[in-house]
Amino acid sequence: MKMLEDIEFLRFRLNEAYKKGLELTDGRMVEMSQDLDKLLLKYQRECLHNGVKIEVFT
């Protein structure tokens, strides 16, 4: 599924950037984090719309 690949890719990029020393408040990190949040929300909504039960952690 393309969306899951996009989610994993962004998660990987955030992790790698953090390992390289990029601060969490850096604009690039914030942008990647916001993009990941949007994708996760879209994925959650699609799952709910399609009747797929997913675990939600808060």
Side-chain angles (χ1 to χ4, degrees):
M1 177 179 235
K2 173 79 169 103
M3 191 179 309
L4 289 177
E5 290 173 8
D6 291 343
I7 289 169
E8 180 57 26
F9 179 69
L10 270 174
R11 190 208 59 77
F12 173 79
R13 284 185 54 209
L14 276 165
N15 188 38
E16 288 300 305
Y18 182 73
K19 285 181 182 177
K20 290 180 181 175
L22 211 56
E23 296 290 327
L24 294 175
T25 55
D26 182 280
R28 293 169 288 182
M29 290 288 277
V30 171
E31 186 177 341
M32 282 189 284
S33 179
Q34 289 172 341
D35 289 345
L36 181 58
D37 285 346
K38 289 174 191 174
L39 270 176
L40 290 170
L41 183 59
K42 182 177 178 182
Y43 178 73
Q44 180 185 18
R45 286 181 177 159
E46 284 188 15
C47 287
L48 292 172
H49 177 74
N50 294 324
V52 177
K53 183 175 168 72
I54 58 172
E55 296 293 326
V56 178
F57 301 96
T58 57

